Amino acid sequence: MSRLSSRARLMPASPIRRLVPLADQAKARGTQVHHLNIGQPDVETPRPLIEAYHQFNDKVLAYGPSSGLLPLREAVAGYYERIGQPVPSKNIHVTTGGSEALVFAIGAVADPGDELVVFEPFYANYAGFGRLLDVNLKAVVTRAEDGFRLPADEVIERAIGPKTRGIIICSPGNPTGTVYTREELDRLARIVKKHDLVLISDEVYREFTYEGVATSALALGIDDRVIVCDSISKRFSACGARVGFVLTRNDALSDVFLRFGFARLCPATVDQLAALAAYQLPASFFEPVVKEYRARRDALVDGLNAIPGVHTYRPEGAFYTVASFPVKDADHFCQWLLNEFSTDGRTVMMAPANGFYATPGEGQKETRIAYVLNVPALNESVQILAKALLVYPGREA
Ligand SMILES: Cc1ncc(COP(=O)(O)O)c(C=O)c1O
């Protein structure tokens, strides 16, 4: 076979997983690696969810409905009702993770060659999903210095052209941790309406906020133009279940999701039963989780900012921060940490931030750090980074 599609050739490697072979080699040499590279929460998956797997006892593991099991869709509708943004269960479609929800959302609004505006740094897989569908991302840069807030309307509108079909946002954000204010979202809503676009809102980190609550795009009064992508992965520490949701109050878009769903038959049956158990947990489930992540954020941010030359801001949500390092090339620094450095048999793995930007040259000195380890492990990781920077040959003054 000699010919690959251009999409196959151009598909980017995930900055989150790209360095895994180097981490494996470090582990094979006996080095302990603190994984700050991937958003895999260490919070225990709630017991009722695990038990749902054990309880499954049907004689046949059958296909389910394309849009998911009705009791789950109804439970999710109940959840949206409780957060004050009702969506009928018929407009909520179960997907294979938030990942498939994003593919459905992008595929529903953009044709090959069309564009979606995205604020960089952005969740790197948006680029992968765009490539898969031959949809181009038009990146608008946001800056660490001002906490990755949205730029002025003129800057955003300058990125909108004749091929633009929508805007993708993620709040609370990965990799930034930024939670957009109501004012920022209202500005976006006005732009979306003015330019006849769709707002694809990735809200998989909704509960993870440390300074107030996140506003859903469903609250913006542009119902016809909003698609929300959601997931149980982070919310219930159930990344391996692969259950997500795509939802909209726009019936025509909802019908597209139904037909996209037909094409891949159905989401996994037993995982949906586990998700159903998760949606029956009391809202109080989140309180200790959020408290723990807030403590982790503060330990990490304070620790990083105490290292000479390292800077990060205090993210309001999710469980990531983007930190800048006094190095020429943070990508090289991340590789060096795995290939050449250890202290007391330990090192740290981070995700180079350049993979979260579409603009070449951006994020060169930055890494994304996921605070998914407990506070002692985060403190130790900070100490490892401080020691590494004392001897790293690519350090800048
Ligand atoms: C912003 C964001 N959206 C979507 C996803 C996809 O998650 P999943 O497919 O596990 O639901 C992730 C996973 O890390 C994410 O960070």
Side-chain angles (χ1 to χ4, degrees):
M1 221 273 294
S2 58
R3 193 185 176 280
L4 292 174
S5 66
S6 58
R7 146 177 356 99
R9 280 180 277 115
L10 295 173
M11 178 62 94
S14 161
I16 304 161
R17 293 175 177 254
R18 184 163 53 89
L19 304 187
V20 167
L22 304 187
D24 289 344
Q25 286 160 22
K27 286 179 205 165
R29 291 193 303 272
T31 306
Q32 189 191 332
V33 179
H34 285 309
H35 279 275
L36 303 176
N37 59 305
I38 191 160
Q40 167 61 64
D42 66 340
V43 172
E44 272 191 24
T45 308
R47 212 51 226 167
L49 211 146
I50 301 286
E51 272 155 21
Y53 287 95
H54 292 293
Q55 279 158 14
F56 183 78
N57 199 24
D58 288 9
K59 292 254 181 299
V60 174
L61 182 49
Y63 285 128
S66 292
S67 287
L69 301 175
L70 188 58
L72 176 59
R73 297 169 75 192
E74 285 172 345
V76 176
Y79 161 88
Y80 274 94
E81 178 95 42
R82 285 195 295 285
I83 67 162
Q85 292 305 328
V87 179
S89 58
K90 72 174 176 51
N91 290 38
I92 298 172
H93 304 268
V94 184
T95 51
T96 305
S99 303
E100 191 183 51
L102 283 156
V103 173
F104 279 18
I106 297 170
V109 302
D111 279 320
D114 282 346
E115 288 177 357
L116 295 171
V117 170
V118 63
F119 299 98
E120 63 180 354
F122 54 83
Y123 175 51
N125 284 337
Y126 297 161
F129 302 143
R131 204 59 292 130
L132 211 55
L133 296 164
D134 290 327
V135 172
N136 299 317
L137 300 185
K138 179 84 183 174
V140 175
V141 71
T142 62
R143 297 281 173 205
E145 301 85 88
D146 59 9
F148 296 108
R149 309 297 345 160
L150 286 184
D153 289 6
E154 310 82 80
V155 178
I156 301 172
E157 291 191 78
R158 229 179 284 140
I160 296 170
K163 287 177 179 280
T164 310
R165 298 288 166 253
I167 301 180
I168 307 185
I169 56 167
C170 180
S171 171
N174 175 8
T176 62
T178 302
V179 180
Y180 293 142
T181 61
R182 179 68 203 233
E183 184 271 330
E184 285 174 296
L185 292 169
D186 281 338
R187 284 203 285 126
L188 276 184
R190 276 196 301 276
I191 293 171
V192 161
K193 252 186 8 202
K194 177 172 163 192
H195 295 273
D196 191 19
L197 305 176
V198 169
L199 184 62
I200 299 175
S201 185
D202 181 344
E203 302 185 5
V204 304
Y205 295 98
R206 184 181 294 118
E207 277 75 17
F208 298 89
T209 57
Y210 313 118
E211 322 284 348
V213 293
T215 302
S216 171
L218 292 165
L220 301 179
I222 50 164
D223 281 356
D224 248 23
R225 300 179 178 278
V226 168
I227 301 173
V228 169
C229 297
D230 206 347
S231 168
I232 71 163
S233 289
K234 319 289 167 165
R235 180 168 302 141
F236 299 114
S237 209
C239 297
R242 313 305 307 129
V243 175
F245 309 96
V246 64
L247 48 122
T248 176
R249 293 186 179 125
N250 177 320
D251 288 337
L253 280 172
S254 179
D255 182 60
V256 174
F257 299 141
L258 174 66
R259 285 181 287 120
F260 282 3
F262 286 156
R264 61 82 168 102
L265 305 182
C266 69
T269 300
V270 189
D271 299 274
Q272 290 185 76
L273 297 173
L276 178 57
Y279 277 91
Q280 280 148 3
L281 291 167
S284 59
F285 163 76
F286 298 113
E287 284 161 21
V289 176
V290 168
K291 192 165 162 229
E292 171 65 19
Y293 276 110
R294 186 185 289 113
R296 292 175 177 190
R297 173 197 67 169
D298 290 341
L300 178 72
V301 167
D302 293 342
L304 287 173
N305 283 331
I307 305 175
V310 178
H311 297 288
T312 192
Y313 51 95
R314 199 169 298 271
E316 304 101 35
F319 35 67
Y320 308 97
T321 195
V322 174
S324 69
F325 284 83
V327 299
K328 274 201 263 316
D329 179 357
D331 199 323
H332 180 268
F333 180 51
C334 290
Q335 297 190 38
W336 176 86
L337 281 167
L338 295 170
N339 283 338
E340 296 184 43
F341 181 77
S342 70
T343 172
D344 298 326
R346 295 179 180 154
T347 194
V348 164
M349 181 172 185
M350 303 182 289
N354 54 4
F356 297 86
Y357 289 85
T359 307
E362 290 288 348
Q364 215 58 45
K365 293 173 187 291
E366 297 172 351
T367 69
R368 185 197 72 166
I369 302 179
Y371 42 97
V372 289
L373 304 180
N374 59 34
V375 170
L378 286 173
N379 286 337
E380 193 177 287
S381 303
V382 168
Q383 294 313 316
I384 293 170
L385 285 170
K387 286 186 186 165
L389 281 168
L390 294 176
V391 294
Y392 176 55
R395 187 188 164 112
E396 287 188 328

